[in-house]
């Protein structure tokens, strides 16, 4: 049963003179391409109906319609067909190859009678004037003419969007007309002047260069080409020449692609090797830091287990001897020296490898460090913990951050010229921030030299994706902001 709805006929915008040769070329050179299936794919995307010129019946467009130059098709359909072809045959020059051989098309030959008498420049004028007979989607304009040169501008209608295949096809068609006009050594360069909008309106220039032939030569060639067997020989010779030229182009393209591929592989290998070396250096640096910390801990344990114990034992015996001889001034002096040595050694042991850092975490270790510095160096440092919840950095993270803060505090003691400062532990968006500030003399940040002090500190933090920002001005104090991404530091699990 027929549908009661009237099927809309596609707009008549592109002549079948274009599709006639397109189909013939593809069937001869790419027989595996299923054009009928491509048309069906397009018809499933949007209506593609055409009026049968013999019966007047509106029907879906088929391959047989494309083989007849009397039919007209919509630009939307032709563009979709070009894109389908390009998907199956990804040759960026395919459109040009088809268009540049269109001069062999019988319908074009019939419309091109007398063209050899005109020459390329008059043919270009004729094409520009009569283009609407074959395509109603654009306007042609001759921009420049000279010996062996014609520049033609195509301005597409505002509702006409294009693809690369279509532009290559246009360039090939200009090449065909130049050959029909008797020109040799024809080349066409295309350049986008204005890409237009999303819906269309693009403007392109086509620069046609050629070797013109004398009138008699063009006339003789045109006359001979009208003889079937001579035309056939000419076409075959041109095909051989075109195939030879294409082989050269293909060879050059293969060489270019292989060279680019080798260069790409080389660059990739260099990048991979660089990344590999950087990762190895980073891993070695982390291992050195871990080794250094293990050595510190071992030294601290040795000091605690040997020297500290001996001092403590000596101090205990001196105290016992003092009880027997209360007024012996030498014993009193020895006791004072031993107590001072023992306290300094314990403080040194804690600084080398503080047990509180391993047993109670970074926050407790920083608080102990500030208290210890204040008592031993008469400083007025403040520690403030603004974290909303305790964190659990891994061993390398907490050791690196602790050492960094200790080094910065030592810098304050040695160079700032002030007793006042503060250490603030806080969270900012997704980063942990450790801020060490003083109210001292400050310095020029440009004076920091690579390889020493603060620069080395920056490198060590970088191994753990950390950063250091230094804000300082002479006479206005300094602020050192250490930061590390929180996603690498899990929070401490809450106990129930």
């Amino acid at each position: 049963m027929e549908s009661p709805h009237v099927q809309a006929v596609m707009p008549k915008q592109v002549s079948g003179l274009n599709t006639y040769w397109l189909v013939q070329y593809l069937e001869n050179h790419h027989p595996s391409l299923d054009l009928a299936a491509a048309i069906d794919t397009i018809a499933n995307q949007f209506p593609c109906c055409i009026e049968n010129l013999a019966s007047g019946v509106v029907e879906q467009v088929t391959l047989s319609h494309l083989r007849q130059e009397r039919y007209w098709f919509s630009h939307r359909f032709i563009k979709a067909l070009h894109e389908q072809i390009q998907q199956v045959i990804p040759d960026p020059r395919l459109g040009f190859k088809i268009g540049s051989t269109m001069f062999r098309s019988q319908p074009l030959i019939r419309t091109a009678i007398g063209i050899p008498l005109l020459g390329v420049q008059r043919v270009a004028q004729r094409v520009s004037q009569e283009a609407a007979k074959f395509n109603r989607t654009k306007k042609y304009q001759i921009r420049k003419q000279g010996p062996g040169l014609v520049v033609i501008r195509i301005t597409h209608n505002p509702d006409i969007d294009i693809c690369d295949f279509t532009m290559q096809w246009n360039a090939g068609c200009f090449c065909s007309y130049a050959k029909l006009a008797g020109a040799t050594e024809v080349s066409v360069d295309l350049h986008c002047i204005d890409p237009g909008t999303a819906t269309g309106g693009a403007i392109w220039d086509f620069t046609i260069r050629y070797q013109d032939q004398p009138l008699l030569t063009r006339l003789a060639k045109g006359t001979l080409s009208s003889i079937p067997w001579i035309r056939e020989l000419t076409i075959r010779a041109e095909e051989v020449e075109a195939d030879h030229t294409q082989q050269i182009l293909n060879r050059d393209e293969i060489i270019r692609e292989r060279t680019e591929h080798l260069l790409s592989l080389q660059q990739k290998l260099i990048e991979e090797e660089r990344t590999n070396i950087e990762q190895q250096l980073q891993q070695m640096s982390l291992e050195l830091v871990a080794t250094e910390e293990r050595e510190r801990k071992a030294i601290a344990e040795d000091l605690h287990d040997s020297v500290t114990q001996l001092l403590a034992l000596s101090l205990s015996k001196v105290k016992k001897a003092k009880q027997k001889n209360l007024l012996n001034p030498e014993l009193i002096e020895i006791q004072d020296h031993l107590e001072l040595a023992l306290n300094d050694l314990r403080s040194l042991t804690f600084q080398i490898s503080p047990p509180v850092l391993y047993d109670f975490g970074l926050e407790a270790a920083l608080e102990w460090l500030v208290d210890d510095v204040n008592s031993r160096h008469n400083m007025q440092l403040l520690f403030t913990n603004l974290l909303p919840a305790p964190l659990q950095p891994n061993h390398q993270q907490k050791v690196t951050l602790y050492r960094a803060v200790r080094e910065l505090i030592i810098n304050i003691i040695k160079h700032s010229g002030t007793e006042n400062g503060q250490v603030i532990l806080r969270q900012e968006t997704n980063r942990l921030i450790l801020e060490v500030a003083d109210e001292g003399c400050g310095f020029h940040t440009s004076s920091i030299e690579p390889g020493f002090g603060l620069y080395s500190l920056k490198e060590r933090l970088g191994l753990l994706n950390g950063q250091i920002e230094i804000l300082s001005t002479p006479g206005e104090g300094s602020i050192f902001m250490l930061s590390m991404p929180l996603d690498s530091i899990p929070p401490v699990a809450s106990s129930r």
Side-chain angles (χ1 to χ4, degrees):
M1 181 177 180
E2 295 184 359
S3 170
H5 300 288
V6 178
Q7 292 178 302
V9 177
M10 68 172 69
K12 296 180 179 180
Q13 296 173 312
V14 181
S15 166
L17 186 66
N18 298 279
T19 60
Y20 174 90
W21 183 247
L22 175 71
V23 172
Q24 188 172 332
Y25 181 96
L26 291 173
E27 288 181 338
N28 289 336
H29 293 81
H30 300 279
S32 61
L33 176 64
D34 192 343
L35 281 171
I39 295 171
D40 289 339
T41 300
I42 298 169
N44 289 330
Q45 297 172 359
F46 56 87
C48 302
C49 296
I50 197 166
E51 182 180 351
N52 189 300
L53 296 178
S55 65
V57 175
V58 176
E59 57 193 15
Q60 180 177 309
V61 66
T62 63
L63 190 56
S64 64
H65 297 120
L66 270 62
R67 289 195 177 100
Q68 301 179 53
E69 67 269 21
R70 295 186 303 134
Y71 281 100
W72 283 76
F73 309 93
S74 70
H75 169 78
R76 184 184 183 190
F77 171 76
I78 294 298
K79 178 175 179 284
L81 181 62
H82 287 171
E83 290 172 342
Q84 286 287 321
I85 294 168
Q86 195 75 79
Q87 287 180 11
V88 180
I89 309 171
D91 180 356
R93 297 272 295 171
L94 180 62
F96 181 85
K97 292 176 184 176
I98 300 174
S100 63
T101 56
M102 193 176 175
F103 68 93
R104 303 173 190 166
S105 166
Q106 286 300 322
L108 184 60
I109 292 173
R110 289 197 298 269
T111 63
I113 295 175
I115 278 185
L117 299 176
L118 299 176
V120 174
Q121 296 194 10
R122 293 178 64 186
V123 167
Q125 294 174 353
R126 182 172 168 182
V127 168
S128 300
Q129 295 167 0
E130 301 181 5
K133 292 181 179 179
F134 312 107
N135 194 305
R136 299 166 182 168
T137 65
K138 51 200 171 189
K139 294 180 176 61
Y140 294 76
Q141 179 187 7
I142 296 178
R143 300 288 295 174
K144 185 178 180 181
Q145 283 187 329
L149 175 71
V150 177
V151 178
I152 298 178
R153 174 165 294 182
I154 291 182
T155 303
H156 295 87
N157 296 346
D159 60 339
I160 299 299
D161 59 332
I162 57 173
C163 61
D164 290 340
F165 184 99
T166 305
M167 290 298 93
Q168 290 289 335
W169 165 272
N170 287 330
C173 289
F174 287 135
C175 184
S176 275
Y177 276 109
K179 290 179 179 179
L180 280 171
T184 59
E185 300 179 25
V186 182
S187 67
V188 183
D189 296 322
L190 57 163
H191 176 62
C192 179
I193 304 300
D194 184 350
T197 64
T199 58
I203 301 174
W204 285 71
D205 276 358
F206 296 79
T207 302
I208 307 164
R209 294 181 175 86
Y210 59 93
Q211 186 69 42
D212 208 354
Q213 300 295 317
L215 176 60
L216 291 177
T217 303
R218 298 199 308 267
L219 183 59
K221 186 176 180 180
T223 303
L224 291 172
S225 296
S226 64
I227 303 174
W229 67 272
I230 293 180
R231 184 172 67 247
E232 184 66 26
L233 285 176
T234 303
I235 290 174
R236 289 181 182 177
E238 289 174 344
E239 287 178 345
V240 170
E241 181 183 1
D243 288 342
H244 179 66
T245 303
Q246 189 59 45
Q247 287 176 9
I248 294 174
L249 292 174
N250 289 341
R251 182 195 63 192
D252 293 343
E253 182 67 18
I254 290 171
I255 292 173
R256 185 187 64 79
E257 289 179 353
R258 288 183 177 177
T259 301
E260 289 180 353
H261 182 62
L262 288 174
L263 289 174
S264 176
L265 285 177
Q266 184 183 30
Q267 187 62 31
K268 187 177 180 181
L269 287 172
I270 291 173
E271 290 296 329
E272 288 179 351
E273 187 65 21
R274 182 185 292 116
T275 303
N276 224 359
I277 292 173
E278 288 176 353
Q279 290 176 347
Q280 289 178 4
L281 288 174
Q282 182 175 358
Q283 187 60 35
M284 288 174 61
S285 298
L286 291 173
E287 289 176 358
L288 286 173
V289 171
T291 301
E292 179 186 357
E293 189 59 29
R294 285 196 297 270
E295 290 300 320
R296 285 174 178 270
K297 191 174 182 181
I299 292 171
E301 289 175 350
D302 286 343
L303 288 174
H304 178 269
D305 294 340
S306 58
V307 181
T308 303
Q309 296 299 329
L310 287 174
L311 285 174
L313 182 60
S314 299
L315 180 60
S316 176
K317 290 184 177 181
V318 167
K319 287 181 178 180
K320 289 181 179 178
K322 181 184 171 185
Q323 289 176 357
K324 297 179 181 178
N325 190 355
L326 297 176
L327 299 179
N328 189 332
E330 292 181 356
L331 288 177
I332 296 173
E333 186 178 359
I334 291 172
Q335 179 181 341
D336 292 340
H337 288 329
L338 286 174
E339 287 178 346
L340 181 60
L342 187 59
N343 288 334
D344 286 347
L345 184 58
R346 283 172 176 167
S347 177
L348 177 62
T349 302
F350 269 63
Q351 290 180 54
I352 292 174
S353 181
V356 67
L357 178 64
Y358 307 111
D359 297 338
F360 300 101
L362 179 64
E363 296 98 313
L366 292 176
E367 185 174 4
W368 172 86
L369 174 64
V370 169
D371 291 341
D372 181 67
V373 168
N374 286 339
S375 63
R376 290 191 305 109
H377 297 280
N378 295 319
M379 298 291 289
Q380 299 295 323
L381 302 180
L382 296 175
F383 173 70
T384 306
N385 183 2
L386 300 178
L387 291 179
L391 296 177
Q392 191 175 8
N394 62 37
H395 179 76
Q396 287 181 329
Q397 288 170 335
K398 65 183 180 183
V399 166
T400 300
L401 289 172
Y402 175 82
R403 297 290 175 206
V405 172
R406 180 176 179 274
E407 187 172 332
L408 292 174
I409 289 177
I410 292 174
N411 281 342
I412 292 175
I413 297 171
K414 289 182 177 180
H415 307 296
S416 70
T418 182
E419 298 176 352
N420 300 317
Q422 57 182 334
V423 178
I424 302 174
L425 186 62
R426 59 187 175 86
Q427 179 178 333
E428 187 175 288
T429 59
N430 62 338
R431 298 187 74 83
L432 171 68
I433 307 294
L434 254 171
E435 193 172 307
V436 181
D438 67 69
E439 302 173 3
C441 58
F443 60 95
H444 291 289
T445 55
S446 58
S447 63
I448 302 173
E449 297 182 2
F452 298 95
L454 298 175
Y455 193 89
S456 298
L457 180 59
K458 179 180 179 181
E459 290 183 331
R460 294 201 302 272
L461 286 168
L463 296 174
L464 299 172
N465 296 322
Q467 296 176 345
I468 179 171
E469 182 180 359
I470 303 172
L471 305 174
S472 184
T473 303
E476 298 183 10
S478 304
I479 300 175
F480 304 88
M481 295 179 62
L482 315 178
S483 65
M484 192 167 289
L486 278 174
D487 54 8
S488 64
I489 306 176
V492 176
S494 59
S495 58
R496 293 182 178 271

